[in-house]
Amino acid sequence: MVHKKKGDTMTTIDLSQYTFFVTNNLPYILLGLTVLIFLALIVFININIKMTKLNKRYRKMMEGMEGANVERLLLGHIEEVRQVVDKVDKLSAEYRRIQTVAMSSIQYVSVVRFNAFEDTGSDLSFAVALLDGNKNGLVLSSIYGRNESRVYAKPVTGGQSTYYLTDEEKQALHNALVKIS
């Protein structure tokens, strides 16, 4: 006999009643357990199939493209990235050096041709402005005459010359400065 306490009162349940219930309903109980076992088997098979697919994908991933495992592959790529970063740093330094050289090289040129004297034909005289990226350089002028020819060079700093410039020299300098802007 089994005694159960319910509140303050005691109730008695006989085990024979359980035995009688189980024996009378045994086919239904076995059928229910069989269905549960069958469902568990289906779930197990489903999990096993998924696990097999996952295991194949895992092995494929671990082998990598060339048969190496992922760890070795990643370490190789990390080393390649380091080498590329070093090359980029070197190229950046070289770029800065070239940029500095380029800024001090002649980049802007303007030529103005003119006739310096009324008794000479054609525009054989000229003024040339040669400027770098910092607006520094020179204005070179050539004055051509029938009996002689003269050449003048006037320095330019920051787009201005401390020397007097003729109208043609001013025009050549202005044209070169317009190209910078």
Side-chain angles (χ1 to χ4, degrees):
M1 280 200 188
V2 176
H3 296 285
K4 279 191 161 183
K5 187 175 183 183
K6 198 173 190 182
D8 287 343
T9 59
M10 282 292 246
T11 57
T12 305
I13 299 177
D14 194 7
L15 285 178
S16 63
Q17 289 175 339
Y18 285 123
T19 309
F20 179 73
F21 175 77
V22 170
T23 352
N24 283 341
N25 296 313
L26 188 60
Y28 301 113
I29 293 172
L30 287 177
L31 181 64
L33 288 175
T34 304
V35 168
L36 284 175
I37 289 173
F38 185 70
L39 286 174
L41 180 65
I42 290 173
V43 169
F44 174 75
I45 290 171
N46 189 17
I47 290 173
N48 205 5
I49 290 171
K50 288 181 181 179
M51 193 66 170
T52 302
K53 287 180 183 178
L54 188 61
N55 200 11
K56 283 180 185 177
R57 287 176 56 197
Y58 174 76
R59 274 192 247 119
K60 192 180 223 182
M61 182 183 75
M62 291 306 285
E63 286 177 5
M65 302 268 262
E66 300 166 359
N69 71 19
V70 173
E71 182 180 5
R72 278 185 265 155
L73 214 90
L74 287 175
L75 290 175
H77 285 304
I78 288 171
E79 184 57 33
E80 288 177 17
V81 167
R82 284 186 183 135
Q83 291 173 358
V84 168
V85 167
D86 288 342
K87 286 181 182 178
V88 167
D89 290 343
K90 289 177 185 175
L91 286 173
S92 293
E94 183 66 14
Y95 169 77
R96 286 189 297 275
R97 186 190 71 76
I98 290 173
Q99 187 69 20
T100 303
V101 169
M103 286 302 287
S104 61
S105 300
I106 293 174
Q107 299 179 23
Y108 306 101
V109 177
S110 177
V111 177
V112 174
R113 296 180 58 105
F114 60 95
N115 188 1
F117 303 106
E118 291 179 14
D119 62 340
T120 59
S122 298
D123 293 336
L124 298 176
S125 299
F126 62 87
V128 178
L130 305 167
L131 301 177
D132 65 10
N134 299 315
K135 300 180 183 180
N136 298 328
L138 61 96
V139 175
L140 186 65
S141 298
S142 172
I143 308 295
Y144 177 80
R146 287 190 187 267
N147 297 327
E148 63 182 313
S149 183
R150 296 183 183 245
V151 177
Y152 302 96
K154 299 174 184 176
V156 174
T157 305
Q160 301 290 322
S161 178
T162 56
Y163 290 82
Y164 171 78
L165 298 178
T166 65
D167 290 339
E168 293 81 11
E169 292 169 333
K170 288 178 186 175
Q171 183 63 42
L173 181 58
H174 172 75
N175 293 348
L177 290 172
V178 168
K179 291 179 183 178
I180 292 175
S181 300

